[in-house]
Amino acid sequence: MAILGLFQHDVKKHAVLASGLVAPDPARCVQCGICTYNCPVGIDVRAHAWRGEPVIHNHCLTCGECVMRCPRGSLRFEKTDLFAKRKP
Amino acid sequence: MKYAIVGSGVSGIATIEAIRSVDRSGEVVMIGDDPHGFYSRPGLAYYLTGELHDKALYPRTSDEYRQMNFRYVKGRVKGVLREARVLELENQTSIAYDRLLIATGAQALPLEAPGANLEGVFKLDHMEDAKRILKHARRGKMAVVVGGGITALELVEGLLARGMNVHYLLRGDRYWSGVLDEHESKIVEARLQVEGVTLHHHAEVIEVMGKKNRVIGARLLDGRTLTCDMVAYAIGIRPRLELAIQAGLAVDRGILVNEFMQTNDPHIFAAGDVAQVYDPAVGRSILDSLWGPARQQGYAAGLNMAGKTTAYIKAPPFNVTRLAGLTTTIIGAVGGGHDKDLIGIARGDSETWRSLPDALVAQSGFDVNHLRLMVGEQRLLGAVVMGDQTLSYPLQKIVSERIDISSIREKLLAADARIGDVVVEFWAGLRN
Ligand SMILES: Cc1cc2nc3c(=O)[nH]c(=O)nc-3n(C[C@H](O)[C@H](O)[C@H](O)COP(=O)(O)OP(=O)(O)OC[C@H]3O[C@@H](n4cnc5c(N)ncnc54)[C@H](O)[C@@H]3O)c2cc1C
Ligand code: SF4
Ligand code: SF4
């Protein structure tokens, strides 16, 4: 449908995932924990969402599991800030 | 300074965080009567469906609590002695305070029907309720769900996911008529039917039938009976006002507070589901039952309690939820209809949504991707986004930041307007 048309960047999606980081919107988050529960490398995404901080973490695979599963649309991929510090 | 917080929900936790951002050394005590302490109440729905383990619902570790530096007392507060500034607990102990926060939340309205206290009749307020439901749910057995709003559907879906057959009873002629329009209600109902739910309109349980204290059926107003093994209900909630009433605080539907979250006693504050907050923008006091506002109100209360005067600015309430598996965002004022299935408001609900704005409606979309906008003179006053959520974030910003939409108003209201595209283009323009 029309709304989707403008937003289907399937081709670009992969590039965004590879260079993006997970950014939360705390106002949408209800702390359910589905993101943390499903993160394959055990990052506490929920804690980031509470603080409104992007997931800057060396272990993050940018696999998108948390973004996809969040039932509240609280998580998005944002382009990486190259100068952002990564936690070991 | 001695701070006491009654209630271990999200608003109480946010209050402690705010106090600690100002006052590192004051004494903070939290008293809560939920044996499970702080957990995600909205997350209970995902625990019911099996998407989550119950242990995943607790956002904080004991280490994190230690860092917040407060004392936790398990118990129920039964009285406030305002003159002496002392709390009385049910276990006969007392706690002195200089600043008190009442964040006692809300609880489900009881089902008023003979048989409602049988084993096998459930509500969904707390972790304990969810655990009881799961213990009782059996594959292949029959459940009757009554009520409206989000929680009723969460019950329906949780029980379906556990393999039960579900009858969903609506008193009115459609689902959540106070917030959704007719088309939206029908989308949800059609999806429920596809999932195998048996819907009954204009149906009301007048008696829960039992045998040896177990549920065996439900008798309906029209004379029919449905055989079932459990009844679950969500017919609305009521702020837990007992304490405020006992203390002689000013209450209406909730505890009345000003924009600093202060009650008529300057030493006592209230926040979250129990608070009815004055909104200067509309000149009225409003009840919400939403996680986000509960957190924000708690935070504002905490700052004010610690002496940092800060007004709580009420943003247009919104919720992102799943209705029959369809992600749905509700923003601002969208409703106005009368809902026979709910008394007052429900969980994950806001009184604001029910106010019918002075607006024109623009609508587009098909059954799985549906969009409705409430178009005011210069602003968007509300929106419902079902299915594809691409527009949910832009619309949340456009509504809450009161962005002037005069330039696209006509386009939105034109016949056969592709309102989704209009909003997308407008948003792209704003971002540049
Ligand atoms: C099933 C369900 C689904 C929900 N879905 C959504 C949703 O989709 N979106 C959304 O935004 N919100 C949703 N909510 C609502 C959201 O969870 C609440 O708005 C939020 O939890 C309110 O927080 P609170 O701190 O005000 O109160 P609560 O979380 O209710 O906490 C109050 C606490 O006070 C305790 N207490 C009460 N009286 C006393 C006393 N006298 N002494 C000691 N302790 C006391 C209670 O035991 C309770 O633990 C849902 C809630 C439920 C239950
Ligand atoms: S899944 Fe979404 S709503 Fe749930 S805790 Fe994570 S970010 Fe918050
Ligand atoms: S993108 Fe994947 S690895 Fe990174 S935080 Fe989310 S779930 Fe974990």
Side-chain angles (χ1 to χ4, degrees):
Chain A
M1 72 172 277
I3 306 177
L4 289 175
L6 266 161
F7 266 81
Q8 253 165 15
H9 300 307
D10 276 341
V11 197
K12 281 198 212 148
K13 200 165 164 195
H14 185 72
V16 174
L17 290 195
S19 66
L21 46 77
V22 176
D25 176 1
R28 286 172 171 250
C29 171
V30 291
Q31 293 287 292
C32 66
I34 286 188
C35 49
T36 300
Y37 189 66
N38 287 290
C39 174
V41 293
I43 296 172
D44 190 357
V45 186
R46 163 171 51 193
H48 288 76
W50 176 268
R51 299 190 299 263
E53 288 169 2
V55 177
I56 301 172
H57 206 294
N58 262 348
H59 294 160
C60 176
L61 311 166
T62 60
C63 65
E65 200 66 15
C66 56
V67 176
M68 213 172 57
R69 291 196 190 241
C70 169
R72 308 276 161 167
S74 319
L75 303 172
R76 286 175 301 147
F77 269 110
E78 262 178 17
K79 272 253 162 76
T80 315
D81 168 2
L82 289 176
F83 300 101
K85 283 204 185 89
R86 285 186 165 244
K87 263 192 218 152
Chain B
M1 185 73 92
K2 288 194 177 111
Y3 305 93
I5 285 131
V6 186
S8 60
V10 64
S11 52
I13 293 288
T15 301
I16 299 183
E17 285 194 344
I19 292 172
R20 283 293 176 237
S21 75
V22 180
D23 180 348
R24 299 297 310 167
S25 60
E27 226 175 86
V28 179
V29 54
M30 172 182 264
I31 309 105
D33 69 357
D34 188 321
H36 299 279
F38 174 50
Y39 52 88
S40 173
R41 268 184 219 294
L44 291 175
Y46 313 130
Y47 171 40
L48 280 190
T49 56
E51 283 161 273
L52 268 183
H53 203 277
D54 57 341
K55 299 214 167 40
L57 290 170
Y58 299 87
R60 299 290 164 103
T61 61
S62 38
D63 239 15
E64 287 165 326
Y65 285 127
R66 259 194 297 282
Q67 279 167 20
M68 288 166 73
N69 183 21
F70 67 100
R71 186 159 69 93
Y72 182 62
V73 176
K74 238 181 224 175
R76 177 170 297 156
V77 178
K78 67 166 191 202
V80 184
L81 305 176
R82 279 169 57 191
E83 290 282 301
R85 284 196 226 141
V86 165
L87 295 179
E88 289 184 310
L89 273 62
E90 244 169 27
N91 66 3
Q92 311 302 330
T93 56
S94 53
I95 291 173
Y97 69 85
D98 299 307
R99 297 284 179 278
L100 169 65
L101 176 83
I102 302 183
T104 46
Q107 65 190 3
L109 287 166
L111 184 67
E112 306 275 5
N117 7 346
L118 287 170
E119 203 183 299
V121 179
F122 301 98
K123 63 182 171 71
L124 181 59
D125 268 348
H126 305 296
M127 181 69 89
E128 269 314 303
D129 297 325
K131 287 187 185 286
R132 285 179 55 225
I133 292 174
L134 289 181
K135 236 189 216 157
H136 207 90
R138 290 274 177 285
R139 197 158 286 280
K141 297 271 185 177
M142 194 65 82
V144 164
V145 176
V146 297
I150 294 171
T151 311
L153 273 201
E154 287 173 343
L155 286 164
V156 168
E157 289 180 62
L159 296 171
L160 273 183
R162 300 288 166 165
M164 294 195 77
N165 300 312
V166 181
H167 289 282
Y168 181 26
L169 273 55
L170 291 163
R171 278 162 91 177
D173 49 15
R174 63 186 178 89
Y175 170 69
W176 214 9
S177 53
V179 172
L180 302 183
D181 73 6
E182 224 171 302
H183 182 60
E184 291 151 0
S185 300
K186 293 287 173 252
I187 293 176
V188 174
E189 291 183 11
R191 291 178 66 95
L192 287 175
Q193 277 163 328
V194 169
E195 286 181 46
V197 176
T198 314
L199 272 170
H200 303 256
H201 294 105
H202 308 288
E204 198 171 329
V205 171
I206 53 162
E207 185 191 347
V208 183
M209 292 150 22
K211 202 171 177 182
K212 292 190 188 146
N213 200 32
R214 298 187 77 86
V215 172
I216 55 162
R219 196 185 307 281
L220 310 191
L221 188 60
D222 63 7
R224 284 183 298 157
T225 53
L226 296 172
T227 307
C228 63
D229 310 281
M230 77 152 72
V231 171
Y233 64 93
I235 53 178
I237 54 168
R238 177 165 53 207
R240 291 180 69 173
L241 292 174
E242 313 87 76
L243 207 54
I245 291 170
Q246 174 279 330
L249 297 172
V251 299
D252 177 22
R253 284 155 299 159
I255 304 178
L256 290 168
V257 293
N258 61 21
E259 60 264 50
F260 306 103
M261 311 311 295
Q262 199 169 31
T263 67
N264 60 321
D265 178 331
H267 297 101
I268 305 182
F269 296 72
D273 283 5
V274 79
Q276 190 178 334
V277 186
Y278 184 72
D279 181 357
V282 293
R284 279 186 299 129
S285 298
I286 306 250
L287 272 186
D288 288 331
S289 173
L290 290 169
W291 180 273
R295 176 183 177 185
Q296 287 150 11
Q297 291 169 14
Y299 201 83
L303 293 178
N304 289 304
M305 288 162 77
K308 192 168 171 183
T309 307
T310 313
Y312 163 70
I313 308 211
K314 186 178 160 57
F318 76 101
N319 196 7
V320 190
T321 186
R322 266 186 336 213
L323 302 177
L326 197 59
T327 306
T328 302
T329 305
I330 302 161
I331 311 165
V334 292
H338 177 64
D339 191 339
K340 288 188 177 159
D341 292 301
L342 290 170
I343 304 161
I345 66 170
R347 296 278 185 197
D349 191 351
S350 166
E351 284 186 342
T352 304
W353 293 340
R354 279 118 200 291
S355 57
L356 186 64
D358 186 11
L360 295 165
V361 180
Q363 195 144 202
S364 90
F366 303 106
D367 282 1
V368 280
N369 290 305
H370 165 86
L371 177 63
R372 170 160 62 102
L373 303 177
M374 307 307 280
V375 185
E377 278 303 315
Q378 284 171 345
R379 299 196 293 115
L380 281 186
L381 303 169
V384 174
V385 186
M386 289 179 127
D388 183 80
Q389 292 295 307
T390 308
L391 287 172
S392 151
Y393 184 76
L395 285 170
Q396 178 199 336
K397 295 289 167 203
I398 293 171
V399 174
S400 66
E401 289 169 19
R402 300 164 177 269
I403 291 171
D404 189 332
I405 52 119
S406 327
S407 65
I408 53 164
R409 188 170 185 275
E410 251 175 60
K411 276 194 206 161
L412 289 175
L413 294 173
D416 297 327
R418 295 175 123 182
I419 59 174
D421 291 351
V422 176
V423 173
V424 166
E425 266 170 49
F426 178 66
W427 180 245
L430 286 178
R431 297 197 81 186
N432 286 332

